[in-house]
Amino acid sequence: MAFLDGYKYAAFLSFVAFTVFSTSVADNASSHSTAFLHPESKFRQVRKFHPVRKTGGFSYSPEPTVALDYHFGPVMTGRNDVIKMFVIYYGHFSRKQKRVLSHFFKSFSQNETQELHKPTTEKWWGLTRQYVDLYETPVAARLVYEGEKSNNYSLGASLNQSDIQTLVVKSLESFGASSRSMYLVLTSEDVLVERFCQNVCGTHFFTFPSDATNDQMLPYAWIGNPAKQCPEICAWPYAPGGFLKEGLIPPNGDAGIDGMIITVANLLAAMGTNPFGNGYYREDGLAAAAVCQGVYGDKAYSGYPGNLLVDKSTNASFNVYGYKDSKFLVPFMWDPATQQCALQA
Ligand SMILES: *[C@@H]1O[C@H](CO)[C@@H](O)[C@H](O)[C@H]1NC(C)=O
Ligand SMILES: *[C@@H]1O[C@H](CO)[C@@H](O)[C@H](O)[C@H]1NC(C)=O
Ligand SMILES: *[C@@H]1O[C@H](CO)[C@@H](O)[C@H](O)[C@H]1NC(C)=O
Ligand SMILES: *[C@@H]1O[C@H](CO)[C@@H](O)[C@H](O)[C@H]1NC(C)=O
Ligand SMILES: *[C@@H]1O[C@H](CO)[C@@H](O)[C@H](O)[C@H]1NC(C)=O
């Protein structure tokens, strides 16, 4: 399979099939994932960035060869059109950090009708409705934040990828095991995780059937807080990189957490549409949102995130509204209906 080729972006370890690569264009490794946006953009002149309001539509048209292939496996259809999310906070997260993250997780189960004229996390998730399985059943409409736990460094401050899976399996005693749910492990900024910041910002995979998983394969993801270890890679555009001389102002005042949310979103989309590695992904292994990497707004190009919304009271940049009008930045997602990267359905 093509996604086994090349360490830098294929990244297939025995237990890590799928990864989210840096959105940074500061290093050449990522030029692969952004190259399709505008092959010539590397040569464009540096231009000053001014946060500006959205001026036009949100859809973005990359090269037409981006299309994701369906590999005939399941997508996450949920139960009654709902996917439950369970979150493990590993290490030290402040109350405020947990609040911001939990607001993001609560942003996928609101009433859609309430936010008619705004881009929202739910309309963003709505793009996954275009991804259907063999029976034409789409990815579940809603994600519900069902449970959380904190873990005070039970496995130390340096984890490998199998430790992540261990944490997920341990959590099942309280969360319960369901292959229709998503399990997330979030590590704090001081926790070292195998391959974090070397070539990934987060990974997703699934447990193998065992007694502990009630004989199921459970989709899970890990995302690290990059604030100290590699903000320029995993918190971009809230840290300098590409054509940004300075990071943009993060909507929740925390570049690490706001950056982490970008990766969380990326992996939610990947899990929803490719939970077991045989759903939707491109030849190079990149899934729904990862193929639009680096695109956050209209007129994006490699190294420039695109035109974003700006919060007038703080000058922070974002592109969607969530729970209780909170603000977040999410990556564009491939929209199979229009064959474009888009922000919302
Ligand atoms: C990218 O690659 C070019 C040529 O291969 C090299 O000159 C440049 O230093 C590299 N940049 C980084 C950030 O590695
Ligand atoms: C919409 O909101 C109302 C009131 O907040 C609630 O009762 C209802 O269950 C919600 N509907 C959905 C689909 O979430
Ligand atoms: C977490 O562990 C650290 C030491 O690793 C300890 O100092 C701290 O008190 C613990 N916090 C809680 C809430 O148990
Ligand atoms: C991961 O780390 C644990 C200790 O935390 C160790 O027992 C295990 O062998 C490691 N796994 C791999 C694949 O390196
Ligand atoms: C936002 O940016 C404008 C223009 O650069 C500046 O005048 C204003 O003081 C900024 N507001 C805040 C809260 O920083």
Side-chain angles (χ1 to χ4, degrees), residues 19-23 30-38 60-63 65-69 131 266-267 269-270 273-274 280-296 331-336 339-342:
T19 57
V20 167
F21 302 101
S22 78
T23 52
S30 61
S31 64
H32 167 83
S33 52
T34 49
F36 72 90
L37 302 176
H38 278 299
Y60 178 80
S61 180
E63 300 291 291
T65 52
V66 125
L68 298 175
D69 289 325
Y131 292 78
N266 204 326
L267 288 171
T273 60
N274 187 33
Y280 289 86
Y281 60 88
R282 200 169 60 179
E283 199 181 332
D284 56 12
L286 298 181
V291 295
C292 302
Q293 203 124 221
V295 181
Y296 301 97
F332 273 38
M333 204 193 301
W334 180 248
D335 181 356
Q339 297 279 298
Q340 291 183 333
C341 289

Side-chain angles (χ1 to χ4, degrees), residues 103-332:
H103 281 188
F104 182 68
F105 294 124
K106 288 177 186 169
S107 298
F108 296 90
S109 53
Q110 305 185 90
N111 279 320
E112 291 175 22
T113 47
Q114 287 169 358
E115 308 281 355
L116 275 181
H117 305 294
K118 289 175 172 176
T120 62
T121 37
E122 287 132 322
K123 290 185 224 168
W124 174 78
W125 185 254
L127 288 164
T128 65
R129 298 295 275 177
Q130 301 290 335
Y131 292 78
V132 299
D133 66 14
L134 276 181
Y135 308 99
E136 303 283 320
T137 311
V139 173
R142 292 179 356 150
L143 299 174
V144 173
Y145 189 40
E146 191 74 12
E148 64 173 62
K149 306 159 80 68
S150 295
N151 181 314
N152 194 24
Y153 305 94
S154 70
L155 300 179
S158 176
L159 307 179
N160 60 28
Q161 292 286 338
S162 64
D163 290 330
I164 302 292
Q165 185 161 148
T166 301
L167 291 169
V168 171
V169 171
K170 278 241 166 68
S171 76
L172 300 175
E173 289 162 18
S174 48
F175 290 159
S178 169
S179 58
R180 301 176 195 234
S181 298
M182 292 177 174
Y183 300 85
L184 297 154
V185 177
L186 308 182
T187 50
S188 57
E189 62 184 25
D190 55 335
V191 176
L192 304 176
V193 179
E194 179 187 7
R195 297 171 70 230
F196 185 38
C197 291
Q198 287 159 18
N199 53 3
V200 302
C201 302
T203 56
H204 77 106
F205 198 49
F206 49 87
T207 65
F208 294 160
S210 69
D211 289 347
T213 69
N214 206 6
D215 296 335
Q216 297 174 84
M217 302 196 328
L218 311 176
Y220 70 85
W222 151 75
I223 301 96
N225 181 343
K228 290 202 175 123
Q229 298 177 51
C230 62
E232 72 292 349
I233 298 173
C234 298
W236 189 85
Y238 296 124
F243 295 128
L244 302 184
K245 292 255 184 265
E246 288 175 42
L248 303 180
I249 298 171
N252 298 290
D254 185 331
I257 297 296
D258 280 305
M260 200 173 181
I261 284 171
I262 297 169
T263 305
V264 172
N266 204 326
L267 288 171
L268 292 178
M271 275 195 286
T273 60
N274 187 33
F276 305 114
N278 52 12
Y280 289 86
Y281 60 88
R282 200 169 60 179
E283 199 181 332
D284 56 12
L286 298 181
V291 295
C292 302
Q293 203 124 221
V295 181
Y296 301 97
D298 203 24
K299 299 196 161 59
Y301 56 84
S302 191
Y304 174 74
N307 297 339
L308 306 177
L309 296 172
V310 175
D311 180 341
K312 284 216 170 99
S313 63
T314 61
N315 284 347
S317 299
F318 66 103
N319 62 8
V320 286
Y321 290 88
Y323 180 71
K324 291 189 172 168
D325 250 6
S326 47
K327 302 172 179 72
F328 304 107
L329 190 70
V330 295
F332 273 38

